[in-house]
Amino acid sequence: MEGPLAPLPTPYGEESGFGAKNERALSRMIARRDAGRRFWTWLSSIRTTSEIRLTLPAIATVSCAVLLVGWEHSSIEVSIGLFTVISILYVPTNMASWFSSMVARDRLSLNVEGHKSKGSYPGSERIISTLRDRVVRERLRLISAILGGASLYVVLRLNPGTVLAPSLMASGAFFGTVCILNSLRLEGSMPMRSNDFTLLSLHAPTLHDSILKSVLTDSLKAHLDPETSDLWDEWMDSLEFSVRTGQTPRTAVEHVLQSIHWEQRGIIDRNRLISEVKTVFKIAATDSLFDGSNKFNASSLSKLLAHTRAWEPGLFRLLDRLHDYVAGPQGEDFEKWRLDLDLPPRCSEGQGELFVML
């Protein structure tokens, strides 16, 4: 009689390392994509290359127009050379946008080792769609530059005749115009240039509490991209046993952000900032906060606070006026209650932010 059959392999079982190996391989692939993003973004951001990518399409378009007019000093070889150089210059930006789009999808959508999906965070879909639109525009202007050069090359080599040649030259001018229009849209900013907060520049805050309890903390949190917001929540949870007695992570971080804001205004120096941090955090946590290797430290918090101020200057104007009022002379006419508001004199796109502080 035959013995019991051996159990079938379970590659997806909990005790199997099959899934873990796949996740590690996927994590390595994500790391390679991020390395590619950093390289191509650096190559695309070399000094003056952005200006060159804006200028050359205009020159190429004008040269095509001159060819149509039939100016005796015009040169079709020069026009072809311009479109060739433009095509070469568009390759790094195409690669940068392609890698950036993949990295954003990896960081916001994948559930693998070291990553978790952030699709529930507001702004995730907008970031991915923005990068996808950039990839389309980058490919469009690269293809336009190639087609512009190809149409002029046909005129040079195949001698299409007096009827077709002007049409090909006009098409070269048209493709050059397409390059110009897309360059004006794309060269204004290069996304994901920062390696500290990669997606922060792509995030436009859409949700904001009407009443802010911890003003700077809540406002800063609302302006973080999904990836940084998730890391921020983890960092806040890790501070549970790092604060001094009578403090909570939220109140301690609020005090630190206020102190950093005072340092940015020049009211206190770095030594006073360290002293203020020590009043709410324990020694080990204070050292960690001034350690540049940590994700959230005094320097990175200062950058995030400056980012928040750029989005909501009215809120910071209120805080500055309140501080100046309290720090001033407090005579008999000093009021314990103060009502202040800030409304921008001009609202873009018919929308504005009204801040009221009591």
Side-chain angles (χ1 to χ4, degrees):
M1 185 175 181
E2 296 182 0
L5 297 176
L8 294 174
T10 55
Y12 299 102
E14 294 182 357
E15 69 280 358
S16 174
F18 181 79
K21 292 180 180 178
N22 278 355
E23 286 196 357
R24 286 193 294 270
L26 191 56
S27 297
R28 288 194 296 269
M29 182 186 69
I30 293 173
R32 288 195 298 269
R33 287 177 177 176
D34 195 46
R37 174 196 62 83
R38 290 195 299 269
F39 171 75
W40 289 110
T41 301
W42 168 80
L43 191 61
S44 303
S45 305
I46 294 177
R47 191 174 181 181
T48 71
T49 54
S50 178
E51 291 79 4
I52 294 174
R53 288 193 295 266
L54 277 171
T55 305
L56 286 185
I59 298 176
T61 304
V62 172
S63 68
C64 290
V66 170
L67 288 173
L68 276 172
V69 174
W71 187 39
E72 59 179 351
H73 297 293
S74 61
S75 172
I76 192 170
E77 290 86 355
V78 172
S79 300
I80 294 174
L82 287 171
F83 276 110
T84 303
V85 173
I86 293 169
S87 302
I88 295 173
L89 289 174
Y90 286 165
V91 171
T93 57
N94 266 269
M95 298 299 294
S97 64
W98 183 49
F99 274 100
S100 296
S101 179
M102 289 192 297
V103 169
R105 289 198 304 270
D106 293 340
R107 295 190 176 194
L108 298 178
S109 302
L110 286 183
N111 266 320
V112 295
E113 181 182 2
H115 299 79
K116 62 181 180 180
S117 176
K118 301 171 185 65
S120 60
Y121 285 80
S124 297
E125 288 298 326
R126 182 186 180 278
I127 291 175
I128 294 176
S129 62
T130 299
L131 291 172
R132 189 182 297 118
D133 178 69
R134 188 177 183 90
V135 171
V136 172
R137 288 186 176 275
E138 287 285 2
R139 290 178 180 175
L140 178 60
R141 71 171 181 172
L142 175 60
I143 293 173
S144 298
I146 294 173
L147 291 177
S151 61
L152 296 179
Y153 185 81
V154 170
V155 176
L156 177 66
R157 293 299 181 186
L158 301 183
N159 192 17
T162 57
V163 177
L164 186 57
S167 300
L168 291 173
M169 294 177 187
S171 66
F174 169 76
F175 289 127
T177 304
V178 173
C179 292
I180 294 173
L181 295 177
N182 282 280
S183 295
L184 291 173
R185 184 72 177 270
L186 294 171
E187 297 299 336
S189 63
M190 178 66 66
M192 302 180 71
R193 295 175 62 177
S194 171
N195 293 323
D196 295 328
F197 305 104
T198 308
L199 302 175
L200 189 62
S201 62
L202 294 166
H203 179 64
T206 55
L207 297 178
H208 197 293
D209 292 336
S210 299
I211 300 177
L212 301 177
K213 297 180 180 179
S214 301
V215 178
L216 291 179
T217 305
D218 293 344
S219 181
L220 186 146
K221 173 69 163 51
H223 292 80
L224 297 180
D225 63 271
E227 181 187 32
T228 309
S229 181
D230 182 61
L231 295 174
W232 177 272
D233 291 337
E234 294 179 358
W235 179 64
M236 291 290 288
D237 293 339
S238 68
L239 298 177
E240 183 68 30
F241 302 103
S242 300
V243 297
R244 295 191 180 275
T245 305
Q247 297 286 339
T248 64
R250 179 174 291 273
T251 58
V253 171
E254 179 71 13
H255 184 76
V256 170
L257 292 178
Q258 289 177 358
S259 302
I260 292 175
H261 176 56
W262 294 338
E263 185 194 27
Q264 290 176 341
R265 293 189 62 198
I267 298 174
I268 63 175
D269 57 10
R270 178 49 63 102
N271 292 329
R272 176 64 185 278
L273 174 62
I274 296 174
S275 300
E276 291 294 332
V277 173
K278 288 181 179 179
T279 61
V280 292
F281 279 111
K282 297 178 181 178
I283 299 299
T286 301
D287 295 339
S288 176
L289 196 60
F290 289 93
D291 185 358
S293 61
N294 293 326
K295 183 72 173 181
F296 295 103
N297 52 62
S299 177
S300 62
L301 290 177
S302 179
K303 293 178 182 178
L304 293 176
L305 202 59
H307 170 77
T308 306
R309 181 167 192 153
W311 273 100
E312 292 187 345
L315 174 62
F316 285 83
R317 284 194 293 266
L318 282 179
L319 295 175
D320 295 343
R321 287 201 296 265
L322 176 63
H323 179 269
D324 295 340
Y325 177 74
V326 174
Q330 300 181 7
E332 295 180 356
D333 58 344
F334 180 79
E335 298 290 342
K336 294 183 178 180
W337 291 92
R338 174 181 169 86
L339 176 65
D340 196 1
L341 59 87
D342 186 275
L343 181 65
R346 180 177 298 176
C347 301
S348 60
E349 300 179 0
Q351 296 180 353
E353 293 178 333
L354 171 64
F355 291 101
V356 180
M357 179 177 289
L358 179 61

